């Protein structure tokens, strides 16, 4: 019996898709990093970790509410709306989807499938370069000012130590790569939509990079880069990223939600909170990780659909 033989056919299929998504995201990240190697940004402080000169160590950062306030895909949607790519009713639908997942605190697989299939069917036939170009503009308009300085300093410390730093997010890899490049990071692991000749086919490669798929992506990248995960670090705000955090020897809970905070305290993981105000401390500013990104992807796809009409 194979490595997955003990699982039910449905579980084997889901696990295989997660592995495929992780491997595809890792390969896309490595290609992007090789094509865009730049000099490291200026020095900005030094935490207890990382260890300088450890070439087999790297750092993996979740994006939404870890590196940046709010969800990247939501800010992307705002930029598209400003450009009249879609109508008010579509923006309201997007907001409702975000609110539903944030308040419900659960992920309905069937609903996720419906949202994802809708987004992919609409984006089909559009060029990858279009999404990248829009992302560059929107980063300057909405995202740059929302980067957490504290988390940015942590990432910089890894870079200054000679280590590679990767974003790991359920957001589309094209958007994630724009953000990583603007921050001077090595690259990004994100959800990979299939494209042929630079045009979207309307399919995903595997699954959205969320939960276990993030861990598979980090594992695949570590293997390809000859990293020792026990010497690597990972940072996230969400309990959905516990699989990724559990892979590394130096897990950090950054601006954690209540479940991650509890888990981190039980395992004596390092905690850092860069939020201010009573509301942030109480609510934890949930990111609706993964599912929120997929819902946001629907809004972006709707926008492209409106533009094509």
């Amino acid at each position: 019996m194979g490595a997955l033989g003990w699982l039910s056919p449905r579980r084997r299929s889901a696990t295989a898709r997660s592995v495929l998504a992780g491997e595809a995201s890792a390969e896309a990240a490595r290609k992007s990093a090789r094509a865009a190697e730049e000099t490291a940004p200026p020095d900005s402080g030094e935490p207890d970790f990382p260890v300088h000169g450890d070439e087999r160590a790297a750092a993996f950062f979740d994006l939404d509410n870890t590196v940046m306030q709010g969800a990247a895909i939501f800010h992307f949607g705002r930029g598209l709306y400003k450009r009249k790519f879609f109508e008010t009713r579509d923006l309201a639908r997007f907001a409702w989807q975000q609110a539903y997942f944030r308040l419900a605190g659960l992920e309905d697989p069937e609903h996720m499938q419906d949202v994802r299939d809708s987004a992919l069917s609409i984006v089909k036939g559009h060029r990858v370069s279009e999404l990248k170009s829009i992302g560059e503009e929107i980063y300057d308009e909405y995202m740059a000012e929302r980067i957490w300085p504290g988390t940015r300093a942590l990432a910089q410390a890894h870079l200054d130590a000679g280590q590679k730093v990767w974003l790991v997010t359920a957001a589309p890899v094209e958007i994630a790569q724009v953000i990583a490049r603007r921050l001077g990071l090595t690259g990004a692991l994100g959800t990979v939509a299939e494209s042929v000749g630079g045009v979207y086919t309307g399919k995903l490669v595997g699954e959205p990079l969320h939960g276990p798929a993030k861990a598979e992506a980090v594992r695949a990248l570590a293997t390809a880069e000859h990293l020792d995960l026990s010497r690597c670090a990972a940072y996230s705000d969400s309990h959905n990223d516990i699989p990724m955090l559990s892979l590394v020897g130096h897990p950090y809970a950054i601006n954690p939600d209540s479940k991650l905070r509890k888990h981190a305290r039980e395992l004596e993981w390092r905690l850092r909170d860069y939020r201010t105000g009573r509301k942030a401390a109480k609510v934890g500013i949930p990111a609706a990780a993964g599912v929120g990104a997929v819902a946001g992807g629907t809004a972006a796809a709707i926008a492209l659909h409106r533009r094509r009409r």
Side-chain angles (χ1 to χ4, degrees):
M1 182 177 291
L4 301 178
W6 59 277
L7 296 172
S8 67
R10 183 175 180 180
R11 290 288 300 281
R12 285 200 301 272
S13 178
T15 301
R17 289 196 300 271
S18 290
V19 171
L20 179 59
E23 291 177 346
S25 186
E27 180 60 23
R30 295 186 74 222
K31 286 182 179 178
S32 175
R34 287 196 299 265
E37 289 209 335
E38 301 174 346
T39 57
D43 190 0
S44 61
E46 182 178 87
D48 296 335
F49 186 81
V51 177
H52 286 253
D54 189 350
E55 295 182 354
R56 296 197 64 197
F60 303 93
F61 284 78
D62 169 57
L63 177 58
D64 296 346
N65 285 332
T66 302
V67 171
M68 182 175 67
Q69 298 176 47
I73 197 66
F74 176 74
H75 298 309
F76 187 67
R78 289 178 63 194
L80 294 177
Y81 177 70
K82 177 182 177 181
R83 289 162 174 77
K84 303 185 184 301
F85 276 35
F86 56 91
E87 301 174 6
T88 303
R89 66 173 178 270
D90 298 318
L91 185 65
R93 177 188 176 201
F94 170 39
W96 177 86
Q97 289 171 331
Q98 290 282 325
Y100 171 82
F101 290 117
R102 290 174 68 171
L103 293 174
L106 52 83
E107 300 170 7
D108 182 341
E110 292 184 4
H111 193 95
M112 280 186 69
Q113 183 73 35
D114 291 341
V115 171
R116 187 183 68 195
D117 289 348
S118 176
L120 290 170
S121 67
I122 296 171
V123 82
K124 181 180 179 180
H126 286 275
R127 301 199 66 81
V128 175
S129 59
E130 181 179 18
L131 186 61
K132 290 183 177 180
S133 178
I134 294 168
E136 294 283 354
E137 297 174 3
I138 293 175
Y139 177 84
D140 290 327
E141 293 173 3
Y142 295 111
M143 299 178 183
E145 64 183 12
R146 290 176 170 80
I147 302 299
W148 291 107
T151 313
R152 181 67 187 88
L154 289 172
Q156 186 61 52
H158 285 278
L159 293 170
D160 292 342
Q163 297 178 4
K164 293 183 177 180
V165 178
W166 307 85
L167 289 182
V168 189
T169 175
V173 68
E174 292 82 6
I175 297 173
Q177 288 172 351
V178 167
I179 297 171
R181 183 171 53 78
R182 291 300 192 92
L183 294 177
L185 308 183
T186 307
L189 298 154
T191 297
V192 178
E194 183 183 78
S195 64
V196 176
V199 177
Y200 291 113
T201 66
K203 300 177 182 179
L204 281 186
V205 180
E207 292 288 310
L209 203 69
H210 171 58
K214 276 192 179 181
E216 293 296 341
V218 169
R219 194 192 309 275
L221 186 62
T223 298
E225 294 280 310
H226 306 291
L227 301 173
D228 182 345
L229 285 171
S230 69
R231 289 145 69 172
C232 292
Y235 302 78
S236 179
D237 73 298
S238 174
H239 69 279
N240 291 308
D241 288 338
I242 288 176
M244 177 181 74
L245 294 169
S246 299
L247 277 181
V248 301
H250 301 275
Y252 282 78
I254 305 293
N255 307 327
D257 61 28
S258 58
K259 290 183 179 179
L260 178 57
R261 183 180 294 274
K262 179 181 178 181
H263 187 85
R265 284 176 172 168
E266 289 175 350
L267 296 183
E268 298 184 346
W269 288 355
R270 297 180 183 182
L271 286 142
R272 300 199 179 197
D273 202 324
Y274 300 118
R275 299 165 297 189
T276 58
R278 182 176 179 181
K279 181 178 181 180
K282 181 179 180 181
V283 179
I285 316 178
V291 181
V294 174
T298 300
I302 289 172
L304 294 174
H305 181 57
R306 298 296 183 196
R307 187 182 186 191
R308 182 172 59 181
R309 286 181 174 180

